[in-house]
Amino acid sequence: MDIEKAIAALDLPAKVRLLTGSALFALHDEPGIGLASLKLSDGPTGVRGAELRGGTVACVLPNATLLAQHWDTALAHEVGEVLADEAQAQQVHVVLGPTINLHRTPLGGRLFEAYSEDPLLTGALAAAYVRGLQGKGIAATPKHYVANESETERRTASMVLDDKTLREVYLLPFEIVVQDSAPWAVMAAYNNVNGVPATEHTELVEGVLKGEWGFDGLLMSDWFATKSTAASANGGLDLVMPGPGGPWEDRLVAAVEAGEVAEAVVDDHVRRLLLLASRTGAFGVPRSWPRDLPAPDSPGRRDQLRRFAAGGMAVLKNSGVLPLAEPAIALIGRHATDTVAQGGGSAGVRPPHVISIADGLTSLLGDRVSVVDGVEVRLRHAAPRAGVLRNVRATTFDASGEVLASREMEIAELAAYGGWAQGAASIELSGEFAAAVPARMLVGVRGFGEWTVEAGGSTYSERLAWADGIVEEALLKPPHWTTEVLAAPGDRITARVRGASALVGLIAQPVPRASADAIGAAVRAAREADVAVVVVGLTEEQETEGFDKTTLALPGDQDALVSAVAAAAKRTVVVVNAATPVLMPWLAEVDAVLWAGLPGQEAGDAVAAALLGHVEPAGRLVTTFPRGDEDALPLVPSDGELRYCEGTAIGYRAATDPLFWFGHGLGYTTWEYGEVSTSLADGTISCVEVELTNSGERDGREVVQVYLRPRDEPVRLIGFAVADVGAGETARVEVPCSARVQRVWADGWHPLTGGEVLIARGLGDVRVVLPAGNG
């Protein structure tokens, strides 16, 4: 049955039924017309599946900024293909990614999911990702359309920005990805744009997305984002997520019958839904799912993910200590043993493993490495680290106390919403202490509800309240309760909660020691080593969906740890396990800084490969690093509005003296730039050719960056290209340049004229300056 015949075969209620999800991550089927249920999954870092916590084991890729630091569209395409394999393994039709909102300010909490602060780089990488994913029949969903650059009050705030800023900066990545890769779906944002909800913004959806750009795919809402019935249906939204329930269903049928929405509008929404289903094999000829896909922990996949991570890491400073060659290394810091692989929020994936930096480095160097814990890095309690609890089990009960289901768990937490535990009257979590000797432990629970906890021979009762009713608080910052107990090997902690409807989990960790004691131990180890490697960073407390940061400072006493070690060690290398900029008051005190990002499941092996030079960390930064918090745009709306007063001058476009420039990265060799030529097409620069020489002693990868500095407009990236060049060799590099960023918006597009062309290794290392030649 073709699409038009299918629509004609459905009555109004049947058509409307298809336009709201059937579950958290699924759509309704309609056997009468040959429509199967489409399955959706979050996907920026990996294909999570339907469970918010503890679901299917899947690959955890490096985060988006670390992947973007390759500046390589071929790698972005490869990433899309990996995610398509992961989706097919779970029989998922639609992946909810890539995230292509911009890094308007480094205080944004969800930046780890998005590529960069630059619209051209973001759009080009996203388009390649979409082509890789959809080339294997899995739909991509670029998100969140549009101006969704902050998490604070994200469900209610209005982003206020002028047409020039909207067109030249925030719409541009969507324009590039829609026109260059034709995604099969797009996700509308939570926020309002100039007072109008993104889910019902007729001008931006019907006028720009579907009209001007010719988008023929489906526009879905972000989860629970739809705020109206007739206005959203008429405004171009095609699908309300999740379901069942929401503002459409019976209310949309009534709106059509009342003449508020034309049935032809509903038909167009269904048409787009059926086209999505046809493209992904859920309508018409059913697709066959391959069975011979690589497992997330297969050797080939692990090698691939290790390369993705290590090659995107950026050397920010190096006084000759990297790559490491010293025989005795003191590896210091909580992030060394508890390495953060991914950010927090809906994109979280259950990995087959996470290799810590300590395990990665000691697996290669053995007893040449001494590992020393650092200071505390978390303000809130997280799930127990690997090896703290064993034989973890979760059991759900109905109202009468009968067991509904029981499962062994890898981690002592689960989501009571949207998964197998949903609807249970109570949930029990338990686990045994795995320590070899008795120890003082901090134990407890997190998640709202009525708790009964048995630990250390005592029973406790606690009620943890959900303070403000915000979903993000319940899932990402749940309340907690703890107590100290003396735990013997094999002792069990058991906790049961009633009334939970979000995240619930156990807490079990050694009683924290004072920062002074941790720093003292680190200093002693550093004095005895040839080089100290201090690993610091952020956690999912700072880099998460739902919340923005209030400071760029490292949490806890990590800065003090670095300074103390640097004062004691012969040489000091700092590895930063974070996706987004941090302050570095100790920068002048250390010999090298490796920016490691959130490296995914192979984190430790990738960091070891980068530190030892087995893989060149050739990444270039995708966000400008400010020197202080005062240099970062604030993210707190005023009276429900967040004004983009800076206009088009974000990030490097406005920077004058940052800590590190956008595009910065040293790699492990040196480069000389020779003869340069430019080509013009229709009055704009179409290509720049550069003679590039690797003047160092190691093979290397360079990212040639081309910027335009127009008259009376901010500087902007107009082209980039990667080049692999052997030591001592010279190559001719062609850098294609985009016409889309060589124009300005003033009631329509107008070409930029005049100014200068900059050929650079980042804006802090400009190698060639030429007149633009178009003025």
Side-chain angles (χ1 to χ4, degrees), residues 685-718:
I685 301 162
S686 59
C687 183
V688 172
E689 291 191 33
V690 181
E691 186 179 79
L692 181 68
T693 299
N694 180 345
S695 54
E697 299 179 352
R698 297 174 60 98
D699 296 348
R701 165 168 282 204
E702 176 67 315
V703 179
V704 181
Q705 304 162 41
V706 179
Y707 297 85
L708 178 65
R709 181 183 284 146
R711 290 191 296 263
D712 304 320
E713 287 283 338
V715 65
R716 76 276 316 278
L717 180 73
I718 64 171

PDB file of all heavy atoms in Angstrom, residues 685-718:
ATOM      1  N   ILE A 685      34.997  33.448  -1.843  1.00  0.00           N
ATOM      2  CA  ILE A 685      36.150  32.550  -1.850  1.00  0.00           C
ATOM      3  C   ILE A 685      35.650  31.114  -1.858  1.00  0.00           C
ATOM      4  O   ILE A 685      34.900  30.700  -0.966  1.00  0.00           O
ATOM      5  CB  ILE A 685      37.029  32.809  -0.620  1.00  0.00           C
ATOM      6  CG1 ILE A 685      37.511  34.255  -0.624  1.00  0.00           C
ATOM      7  CG2 ILE A 685      38.205  31.838  -0.572  1.00  0.00           C
ATOM      8  CD1 ILE A 685      38.012  34.733   0.716  1.00  0.00           C
ATOM      9  N   SER A 686      36.038  30.353  -2.861  1.00  0.00           N
ATOM     10  CA  SER A 686      35.565  28.976  -2.982  1.00  0.00           C
ATOM     11  C   SER A 686      36.597  27.960  -2.517  1.00  0.00           C
ATOM     12  O   SER A 686      36.250  26.853  -2.114  1.00  0.00           O
ATOM     13  CB  SER A 686      35.171  28.666  -4.423  1.00  0.00           C
ATOM     14  OG  SER A 686      36.288  28.857  -5.289  1.00  0.00           O
ATOM     15  N   CYS A 687      37.881  28.322  -2.577  1.00  0.00           N
ATOM     16  CA  CYS A 687      38.920  27.365  -2.204  1.00  0.00           C
ATOM     17  C   CYS A 687      40.206  28.117  -1.889  1.00  0.00           C
ATOM     18  O   CYS A 687      40.512  29.143  -2.493  1.00  0.00           O
ATOM     19  CB  CYS A 687      39.160  26.374  -3.345  1.00  0.00           C
ATOM     20  SG  CYS A 687      40.378  25.083  -2.974  1.00  0.00           S
ATOM     21  N   VAL A 688      40.935  27.596  -0.917  1.00  0.00           N
ATOM     22  CA  VAL A 688      42.274  28.076  -0.610  1.00  0.00           C
ATOM     23  C   VAL A 688      43.220  26.883  -0.703  1.00  0.00           C
ATOM     24  O   VAL A 688      42.930  25.813  -0.162  1.00  0.00           O
ATOM     25  CB  VAL A 688      42.340  28.710   0.796  1.00  0.00           C
ATOM     26  CG1 VAL A 688      43.782  29.028   1.180  1.00  0.00           C
ATOM     27  CG2 VAL A 688      41.489  29.969   0.860  1.00  0.00           C
ATOM     28  N   GLU A 689      44.337  27.061  -1.414  1.00  0.00           N
ATOM     29  CA  GLU A 689      45.355  26.014  -1.501  1.00  0.00           C
ATOM     30  C   GLU A 689      46.590  26.452  -0.728  1.00  0.00           C
ATOM     31  O   GLU A 689      47.047  27.588  -0.849  1.00  0.00           O
ATOM     32  CB  GLU A 689      45.720  25.724  -2.953  1.00  0.00           C
ATOM     33  CG  GLU A 689      44.607  25.050  -3.744  1.00  0.00           C
ATOM     34  CD  GLU A 689      45.100  24.546  -5.081  1.00  0.00           C
ATOM     35  OE1 GLU A 689      46.281  24.133  -5.166  1.00  0.00           O
ATOM     36  OE2 GLU A 689      44.314  24.565  -6.038  1.00  0.00           O
ATOM     37  N   VAL A 690      47.113  25.540   0.079  1.00  0.00           N
ATOM     38  CA  VAL A 690      48.233  25.846   0.961  1.00  0.00           C
ATOM     39  C   VAL A 690      49.332  24.812   0.768  1.00  0.00           C
ATOM     40  O   VAL A 690      49.057  23.606   0.737  1.00  0.00           O
ATOM     41  CB  VAL A 690      47.786  25.845   2.443  1.00  0.00           C
ATOM     42  CG1 VAL A 690      48.947  26.200   3.357  1.00  0.00           C
ATOM     43  CG2 VAL A 690      46.624  26.786   2.670  1.00  0.00           C
ATOM     44  N   GLU A 691      50.579  25.275   0.649  1.00  0.00           N
ATOM     45  CA  GLU A 691      51.734  24.384   0.657  1.00  0.00           C
ATOM     46  C   GLU A 691      52.126  24.151   2.116  1.00  0.00           C
ATOM     47  O   GLU A 691      52.505  25.094   2.824  1.00  0.00           O
ATOM     48  CB  GLU A 691      52.891  25.012  -0.120  1.00  0.00           C
ATOM     49  CG  GLU A 691      54.072  24.080  -0.285  1.00  0.00           C
ATOM     50  CD  GLU A 691      55.184  24.737  -1.067  1.00  0.00           C
ATOM     51  OE1 GLU A 691      55.921  25.556  -0.447  1.00  0.00           O
ATOM     52  OE2 GLU A 691      55.322  24.470  -2.272  1.00  0.00           O
ATOM     53  N   LEU A 692      52.040  22.929   2.567  1.00  0.00           N
ATOM     54  CA  LEU A 692      52.191  22.600   3.983  1.00  0.00           C
ATOM     55  C   LEU A 692      53.350  21.629   4.163  1.00  0.00           C
ATOM     56  O   LEU A 692      53.399  20.580   3.498  1.00  0.00           O
ATOM     57  CB  LEU A 692      50.893  21.963   4.497  1.00  0.00           C
ATOM     58  CG  LEU A 692      50.838  21.561   5.960  1.00  0.00           C
ATOM     59  CD1 LEU A 692      50.857  22.793   6.860  1.00  0.00           C
ATOM     60  CD2 LEU A 692      49.590  20.730   6.235  1.00  0.00           C
ATOM     61  N   THR A 693      54.279  21.959   5.064  1.00  0.00           N
ATOM     62  CA  THR A 693      55.428  21.109   5.333  1.00  0.00           C
ATOM     63  C   THR A 693      55.431  20.672   6.785  1.00  0.00           C
ATOM     64  O   THR A 693      55.308  21.505   7.698  1.00  0.00           O
ATOM     65  CB  THR A 693      56.742  21.856   5.027  1.00  0.00           C
ATOM     66  OG1 THR A 693      56.769  22.228   3.651  1.00  0.00           O
ATOM     67  CG2 THR A 693      57.948  20.975   5.329  1.00  0.00           C
ATOM     68  N   ASN A 694      55.562  19.355   6.992  1.00  0.00           N
ATOM     69  CA  ASN A 694      55.763  18.818   8.335  1.00  0.00           C
ATOM     70  C   ASN A 694      57.242  18.958   8.655  1.00  0.00           C
ATOM     71  O   ASN A 694      58.083  18.206   8.156  1.00  0.00           O
ATOM     72  CB  ASN A 694      55.330  17.355   8.375  1.00  0.00           C
ATOM     73  CG  ASN A 694      55.515  16.719   9.745  1.00  0.00           C
ATOM     74  OD1 ASN A 694      56.204  17.253  10.610  1.00  0.00           O
ATOM     75  ND2 ASN A 694      54.901  15.568   9.949  1.00  0.00           N
ATOM     76  N   SER A 695      57.584  19.950   9.468  1.00  0.00           N
ATOM     77  CA  SER A 695      58.982  20.267   9.754  1.00  0.00           C
ATOM     78  C   SER A 695      59.515  19.543  10.983  1.00  0.00           C
ATOM     79  O   SER A 695      60.640  19.813  11.424  1.00  0.00           O
ATOM     80  CB  SER A 695      59.143  21.786   9.937  1.00  0.00           C
ATOM     81  OG  SER A 695      58.243  22.274  10.912  1.00  0.00           O
ATOM     82  N   GLY A 696      58.718  18.636  11.534  1.00  0.00           N
ATOM     83  CA  GLY A 696      59.139  17.910  12.719  1.00  0.00           C
ATOM     84  C   GLY A 696      59.713  16.548  12.400  1.00  0.00           C
ATOM     85  O   GLY A 696      59.940  16.179  11.242  1.00  0.00           O
ATOM     86  N   GLU A 697      59.918  15.748  13.462  1.00  0.00           N
ATOM     87  CA  GLU A 697      60.533  14.428  13.330  1.00  0.00           C
ATOM     88  C   GLU A 697      59.526  13.291  13.411  1.00  0.00           C
ATOM     89  O   GLU A 697      59.904  12.122  13.370  1.00  0.00           O
ATOM     90  CB  GLU A 697      61.602  14.253  14.411  1.00  0.00           C
ATOM     91  CG  GLU A 697      62.724  15.276  14.317  1.00  0.00           C
ATOM     92  CD  GLU A 697      63.769  15.110  15.408  1.00  0.00           C
ATOM     93  OE1 GLU A 697      63.531  14.277  16.328  1.00  0.00           O
ATOM     94  OE2 GLU A 697      64.799  15.790  15.355  1.00  0.00           O
ATOM     95  N   ARG A 698      58.247  13.622  13.528  1.00  0.00           N
ATOM     96  CA  ARG A 698      57.206  12.597  13.603  1.00  0.00           C
ATOM     97  C   ARG A 698      56.179  12.855  12.508  1.00  0.00           C
ATOM     98  O   ARG A 698      55.885  14.004  12.160  1.00  0.00           O
ATOM     99  CB  ARG A 698      56.495  12.640  14.963  1.00  0.00           C
ATOM    100  CG  ARG A 698      57.357  12.330  16.161  1.00  0.00           C
ATOM    101  CD  ARG A 698      56.576  12.547  17.460  1.00  0.00           C
ATOM    102  NE  ARG A 698      55.419  11.695  17.531  1.00  0.00           N
ATOM    103  CZ  ARG A 698      55.350  10.537  18.194  1.00  0.00           C
ATOM    104  NH1 ARG A 698      56.416  10.115  18.854  1.00  0.00           N
ATOM    105  NH2 ARG A 698      54.255   9.827  18.220  1.00  0.00           N
ATOM    106  N   ASP A 699      55.598  11.780  11.973  1.00  0.00           N
ATOM    107  CA  ASP A 699      54.444  11.935  11.090  1.00  0.00           C
ATOM    108  C   ASP A 699      53.345  12.638  11.880  1.00  0.00           C
ATOM    109  O   ASP A 699      53.233  12.475  13.102  1.00  0.00           O
ATOM    110  CB  ASP A 699      53.942  10.576  10.618  1.00  0.00           C
ATOM    111  CG  ASP A 699      54.955   9.826   9.769  1.00  0.00           C
ATOM    112  OD1 ASP A 699      55.957  10.452   9.365  1.00  0.00           O
ATOM    113  OD2 ASP A 699      54.758   8.625   9.538  1.00  0.00           O
ATOM    114  N   GLY A 700      52.522  13.404  11.188  1.00  0.00           N
ATOM    115  CA  GLY A 700      51.506  14.136  11.921  1.00  0.00           C
ATOM    116  C   GLY A 700      50.304  14.487  11.087  1.00  0.00           C
ATOM    117  O   GLY A 700      50.291  14.305   9.862  1.00  0.00           O
ATOM    118  N   ARG A 701      49.283  14.985  11.771  1.00  0.00           N
ATOM    119  CA  ARG A 701      48.060  15.463  11.130  1.00  0.00           C
ATOM    120  C   ARG A 701      47.891  16.941  11.453  1.00  0.00           C
ATOM    121  O   ARG A 701      47.989  17.350  12.610  1.00  0.00           O
ATOM    122  CB  ARG A 701      46.848  14.672  11.610  1.00  0.00           C
ATOM    123  CG  ARG A 701      45.524  15.339  11.265  1.00  0.00           C
ATOM    124  CD  ARG A 701      44.337  14.439  11.485  1.00  0.00           C
ATOM    125  NE  ARG A 701      44.195  13.479  10.405  1.00  0.00           N
ATOM    126  CZ  ARG A 701      43.044  12.886  10.068  1.00  0.00           C
ATOM    127  NH1 ARG A 701      41.933  13.159  10.727  1.00  0.00           N
ATOM    128  NH2 ARG A 701      42.995  12.017   9.087  1.00  0.00           N
ATOM    129  N   GLU A 702      47.652  17.738  10.426  1.00  0.00           N
ATOM    130  CA  GLU A 702      47.397  19.158  10.599  1.00  0.00           C
ATOM    131  C   GLU A 702      45.961  19.465  10.206  1.00  0.00           C
ATOM    132  O   GLU A 702      45.384  18.798   9.330  1.00  0.00           O
ATOM    133  CB  GLU A 702      48.361  19.970   9.722  1.00  0.00           C
ATOM    134  CG  GLU A 702      48.141  21.472   9.725  1.00  0.00           C
ATOM    135  CD  GLU A 702      48.434  22.156  11.052  1.00  0.00           C
ATOM    136  OE1 GLU A 702      47.994  21.626  12.082  1.00  0.00           O
ATOM    137  OE2 GLU A 702      49.076  23.215  11.044  1.00  0.00           O
ATOM    138  N   VAL A 703      45.387  20.449  10.884  1.00  0.00           N
ATOM    139  CA  VAL A 703      44.076  20.974  10.521  1.00  0.00           C
ATOM    140  C   VAL A 703      44.290  22.398  10.015  1.00  0.00           C
ATOM    141  O   VAL A 703      44.581  23.297  10.803  1.00  0.00           O
ATOM    142  CB  VAL A 703      43.101  20.965  11.716  1.00  0.00           C
ATOM    143  CG1 VAL A 703      41.747  21.536  11.292  1.00  0.00           C
ATOM    144  CG2 VAL A 703      42.924  19.547  12.259  1.00  0.00           C
ATOM    145  N   VAL A 704      44.190  22.571   8.714  1.00  0.00           N
ATOM    146  CA  VAL A 704      44.365  23.891   8.109  1.00  0.00           C
ATOM    147  C   VAL A 704      43.028  24.617   8.201  1.00  0.00           C
ATOM    148  O   VAL A 704      42.009  24.132   7.717  1.00  0.00           O
ATOM    149  CB  VAL A 704      44.823  23.772   6.645  1.00  0.00           C
ATOM    150  CG1 VAL A 704      45.011  25.173   6.049  1.00  0.00           C
ATOM    151  CG2 VAL A 704      46.121  22.972   6.552  1.00  0.00           C
ATOM    152  N   GLN A 705      43.051  25.782   8.824  1.00  0.00           N
ATOM    153  CA  GLN A 705      41.826  26.547   9.071  1.00  0.00           C
ATOM    154  C   GLN A 705      41.880  27.866   8.300  1.00  0.00           C
ATOM    155  O   GLN A 705      42.902  28.551   8.315  1.00  0.00           O
ATOM    156  CB  GLN A 705      41.679  26.829  10.571  1.00  0.00           C
ATOM    157  CG  GLN A 705      41.687  25.563  11.421  1.00  0.00           C
ATOM    158  CD  GLN A 705      41.987  25.835  12.884  1.00  0.00           C
ATOM    159  OE1 GLN A 705      41.493  26.806  13.463  1.00  0.00           O
ATOM    160  NE2 GLN A 705      42.808  24.985  13.491  1.00  0.00           N
ATOM    161  N   VAL A 706      40.770  28.195   7.643  1.00  0.00           N
ATOM    162  CA  VAL A 706      40.686  29.438   6.878  1.00  0.00           C
ATOM    163  C   VAL A 706      39.569  30.291   7.467  1.00  0.00           C
ATOM    164  O   VAL A 706      38.428  29.827   7.621  1.00  0.00           O
ATOM    165  CB  VAL A 706      40.420  29.168   5.383  1.00  0.00           C
ATOM    166  CG1 VAL A 706      40.310  30.491   4.613  1.00  0.00           C
ATOM    167  CG2 VAL A 706      41.532  28.305   4.792  1.00  0.00           C
ATOM    168  N   TYR A 707      39.903  31.540   7.805  1.00  0.00           N
ATOM    169  CA  TYR A 707      38.955  32.477   8.388  1.00  0.00           C
ATOM    170  C   TYR A 707      38.839  33.700   7.479  1.00  0.00           C
ATOM    171  O   TYR A 707      39.796  34.082   6.784  1.00  0.00           O
ATOM    172  CB  TYR A 707      39.420  32.939   9.771  1.00  0.00           C
ATOM    173  CG  TYR A 707      39.516  31.829  10.791  1.00  0.00           C
ATOM    174  CD1 TYR A 707      40.665  31.044  10.893  1.00  0.00           C
ATOM    175  CD2 TYR A 707      38.468  31.578  11.670  1.00  0.00           C
ATOM    176  CE1 TYR A 707      40.762  30.031  11.828  1.00  0.00           C
ATOM    177  CE2 TYR A 707      38.557  30.561  12.620  1.00  0.00           C
ATOM    178  CZ  TYR A 707      39.703  29.791  12.688  1.00  0.00           C
ATOM    179  OH  TYR A 707      39.793  28.783  13.625  1.00  0.00           O
ATOM    180  N   LEU A 708      37.689  34.311   7.508  1.00  0.00           N
ATOM    181  CA  LEU A 708      37.467  35.593   6.859  1.00  0.00           C
ATOM    182  C   LEU A 708      37.239  36.653   7.934  1.00  0.00           C
ATOM    183  O   LEU A 708      36.411  36.455   8.822  1.00  0.00           O
ATOM    184  CB  LEU A 708      36.257  35.516   5.923  1.00  0.00           C
ATOM    185  CG  LEU A 708      35.865  36.820   5.210  1.00  0.00           C
ATOM    186  CD1 LEU A 708      36.953  37.267   4.254  1.00  0.00           C
ATOM    187  CD2 LEU A 708      34.527  36.636   4.481  1.00  0.00           C
ATOM    188  N   ARG A 709      38.010  37.738   7.832  1.00  0.00           N
ATOM    189  CA  ARG A 709      37.786  38.870   8.717  1.00  0.00           C
ATOM    190  C   ARG A 709      37.244  40.013   7.855  1.00  0.00           C
ATOM    191  O   ARG A 709      38.002  40.790   7.284  1.00  0.00           O
ATOM    192  CB  ARG A 709      39.082  39.284   9.418  1.00  0.00           C
ATOM    193  CG  ARG A 709      38.888  40.471  10.389  1.00  0.00           C
ATOM    194  CD  ARG A 709      40.210  40.879  11.006  1.00  0.00           C
ATOM    195  NE  ARG A 709      40.614  39.925  12.043  1.00  0.00           N
ATOM    196  CZ  ARG A 709      41.882  39.602  12.297  1.00  0.00           C
ATOM    197  NH1 ARG A 709      42.853  40.099  11.557  1.00  0.00           N
ATOM    198  NH2 ARG A 709      42.168  38.756  13.268  1.00  0.00           N
ATOM    199  N   PRO A 710      35.911  40.108   7.755  1.00  0.00           N
ATOM    200  CA  PRO A 710      35.326  41.121   6.875  1.00  0.00           C
ATOM    201  C   PRO A 710      35.425  42.503   7.496  1.00  0.00           C
ATOM    202  O   PRO A 710      35.720  42.665   8.680  1.00  0.00           O
ATOM    203  CB  PRO A 710      33.855  40.688   6.756  1.00  0.00           C
ATOM    204  CG  PRO A 710      33.749  39.383   7.474  1.00  0.00           C
ATOM    205  CD  PRO A 710      34.900  39.305   8.425  1.00  0.00           C
ATOM    206  N   ARG A 711      35.154  43.502   6.691  1.00  0.00           N
ATOM    207  CA  ARG A 711      35.012  44.847   7.239  1.00  0.00           C
ATOM    208  C   ARG A 711      33.688  44.941   7.995  1.00  0.00           C
ATOM    209  O   ARG A 711      32.639  44.505   7.508  1.00  0.00           O
ATOM    210  CB  ARG A 711      35.031  45.886   6.104  1.00  0.00           C
ATOM    211  CG  ARG A 711      36.386  46.052   5.422  1.00  0.00           C
ATOM    212  CD  ARG A 711      36.378  47.273   4.518  1.00  0.00           C
ATOM    213  NE  ARG A 711      35.438  47.149   3.426  1.00  0.00           N
ATOM    214  CZ  ARG A 711      35.759  46.761   2.191  1.00  0.00           C
ATOM    215  NH1 ARG A 711      37.024  46.467   1.915  1.00  0.00           N
ATOM    216  NH2 ARG A 711      34.843  46.680   1.250  1.00  0.00           N
ATOM    217  N   ASP A 712      33.731  45.455   9.199  1.00  0.00           N
ATOM    218  CA  ASP A 712      32.525  45.768   9.983  1.00  0.00           C
ATOM    219  C   ASP A 712      31.704  44.541  10.378  1.00  0.00           C
ATOM    220  O   ASP A 712      30.512  44.660  10.684  1.00  0.00           O
ATOM    221  CB  ASP A 712      31.622  46.751   9.213  1.00  0.00           C
ATOM    222  CG  ASP A 712      32.354  48.018   8.824  1.00  0.00           C
ATOM    223  OD1 ASP A 712      33.138  48.509   9.656  1.00  0.00           O
ATOM    224  OD2 ASP A 712      32.164  48.503   7.693  1.00  0.00           O
ATOM    225  N   GLU A 713      32.310  43.363  10.379  1.00  0.00           N
ATOM    226  CA  GLU A 713      31.638  42.132  10.808  1.00  0.00           C
ATOM    227  C   GLU A 713      32.636  41.287  11.584  1.00  0.00           C
ATOM    228  O   GLU A 713      33.846  41.373  11.351  1.00  0.00           O
ATOM    229  CB  GLU A 713      31.116  41.334   9.605  1.00  0.00           C
ATOM    230  CG  GLU A 713      29.903  41.937   8.920  1.00  0.00           C
ATOM    231  CD  GLU A 713      28.619  41.674   9.704  1.00  0.00           C
ATOM    232  OE1 GLU A 713      28.595  40.724  10.507  1.00  0.00           O
ATOM    233  OE2 GLU A 713      27.652  42.433   9.507  1.00  0.00           O
ATOM    234  N   PRO A 714      32.175  40.429  12.485  1.00  0.00           N
ATOM    235  CA  PRO A 714      33.101  39.564  13.221  1.00  0.00           C
ATOM    236  C   PRO A 714      33.813  38.573  12.290  1.00  0.00           C
ATOM    237  O   PRO A 714      33.287  38.166  11.256  1.00  0.00           O
ATOM    238  CB  PRO A 714      32.193  38.822  14.212  1.00  0.00           C
ATOM    239  CG  PRO A 714      30.956  39.642  14.300  1.00  0.00           C
ATOM    240  CD  PRO A 714      30.788  40.277  12.958  1.00  0.00           C
ATOM    241  N   VAL A 715      35.016  38.196  12.683  1.00  0.00           N
ATOM    242  CA  VAL A 715      35.736  37.141  11.984  1.00  0.00           C
ATOM    243  C   VAL A 715      34.913  35.860  12.025  1.00  0.00           C
ATOM    244  O   VAL A 715      34.152  35.611  12.955  1.00  0.00           O
ATOM    245  CB  VAL A 715      37.126  36.939  12.620  1.00  0.00           C
ATOM    246  CG1 VAL A 715      37.004  36.428  14.046  1.00  0.00           C
ATOM    247  CG2 VAL A 715      38.005  36.016  11.793  1.00  0.00           C
ATOM    248  N   ARG A 716      35.061  35.016  11.005  1.00  0.00           N
ATOM    249  CA  ARG A 716      34.343  33.731  10.993  1.00  0.00           C
ATOM    250  C   ARG A 716      35.109  32.689  10.198  1.00  0.00           C
ATOM    251  O   ARG A 716      35.816  33.018   9.225  1.00  0.00           O
ATOM    252  CB  ARG A 716      32.917  33.866  10.460  1.00  0.00           C
ATOM    253  CG  ARG A 716      32.718  34.022   8.973  1.00  0.00           C
ATOM    254  CD  ARG A 716      32.863  35.433   8.466  1.00  0.00           C
ATOM    255  NE  ARG A 716      32.202  36.415   9.280  1.00  0.00           N
ATOM    256  CZ  ARG A 716      30.892  36.697   9.189  1.00  0.00           C
ATOM    257  NH1 ARG A 716      30.144  36.073   8.285  1.00  0.00           N
ATOM    258  NH2 ARG A 716      30.373  37.635   9.952  1.00  0.00           N
ATOM    259  N   LEU A 717      35.001  31.432  10.658  1.00  0.00           N
ATOM    260  CA  LEU A 717      35.570  30.292   9.946  1.00  0.00           C
ATOM    261  C   LEU A 717      34.821  30.115   8.629  1.00  0.00           C
ATOM    262  O   LEU A 717      33.595  30.087   8.609  1.00  0.00           O
ATOM    263  CB  LEU A 717      35.436  29.030  10.794  1.00  0.00           C
ATOM    264  CG  LEU A 717      35.992  27.723  10.205  1.00  0.00           C
ATOM    265  CD1 LEU A 717      37.516  27.731  10.242  1.00  0.00           C
ATOM    266  CD2 LEU A 717      35.440  26.515  10.972  1.00  0.00           C
ATOM    267  N   ILE A 718      35.582  29.980   7.512  1.00  0.00           N
ATOM    268  CA  ILE A 718      34.919  29.752   6.223  1.00  0.00           C
ATOM    269  C   ILE A 718      35.348  28.438   5.574  1.00  0.00           C
ATOM    270  O   ILE A 718      34.761  28.017   4.579  1.00  0.00           O
ATOM    271  CB  ILE A 718      35.144  30.918   5.241  1.00  0.00           C
ATOM    272  CG1 ILE A 718      36.618  31.061   4.878  1.00  0.00           C
ATOM    273  CG2 ILE A 718      34.583  32.212   5.821  1.00  0.00           C
ATOM    274  CD1 ILE A 718      36.864  32.056   3.733  1.00  0.00           C
TER     275      ILE A 718
END
